[in-house]
Amino acid sequence: MIERKASDDAGRNEVASAVLTYLQRHPNAADTLDGIVSWWLPQQRYEMERQHIKRTLGELVERGELRCDRLPDGAVLYALNHPGRKPPE
């Protein structure tokens, strides 16, 4: 029972944080419950997950498990770091 309460509290805190972060970025926004669920929260989760994924990819590159190559447009391409592969010039 205590674990469920802690999980519920964590979930509410996450939603509150996501809603407030969205509103800080879009101070004139207003929406219904359905709109918030459909638009605000997925956008916030995507941004939070994107940052987490970027950090994780960086760690994998640092450990040598992945390589990253910068494309001409500045985007970074990640791939498995094959042993003996020569780095791009």
Side-chain angles (χ1 to χ4, degrees), residues 18-87:
V19 168
L20 292 173
T21 299
Y22 183 89
L23 288 169
Q24 288 169 351
R25 292 182 179 162
H26 308 278
N28 296 319
D31 213 331
T32 63
L33 172 62
D34 288 340
I36 290 168
V37 169
S38 296
W39 297 102
W40 297 12
L41 296 180
Q43 182 179 20
Q44 287 307 110
R45 289 188 198 285
Y46 172 76
E47 286 300 318
M48 287 184 279
E49 288 302 311
R50 180 180 170 84
Q51 293 169 10
H52 177 73
I53 291 166
K54 183 178 180 180
R55 282 193 303 272
T56 302
L57 290 170
E59 291 170 6
L60 291 170
V61 170
E62 286 177 17
R63 292 196 318 233
E65 295 180 50
L66 294 183
R67 70 174 197 272
C68 62
D69 301 316
R70 188 160 304 276
L71 300 175
D73 68 357
V76 177
L77 187 67
Y78 295 92
L80 187 62
N81 190 15
H82 296 285
R85 178 187 174 272
K86 293 181 181 179

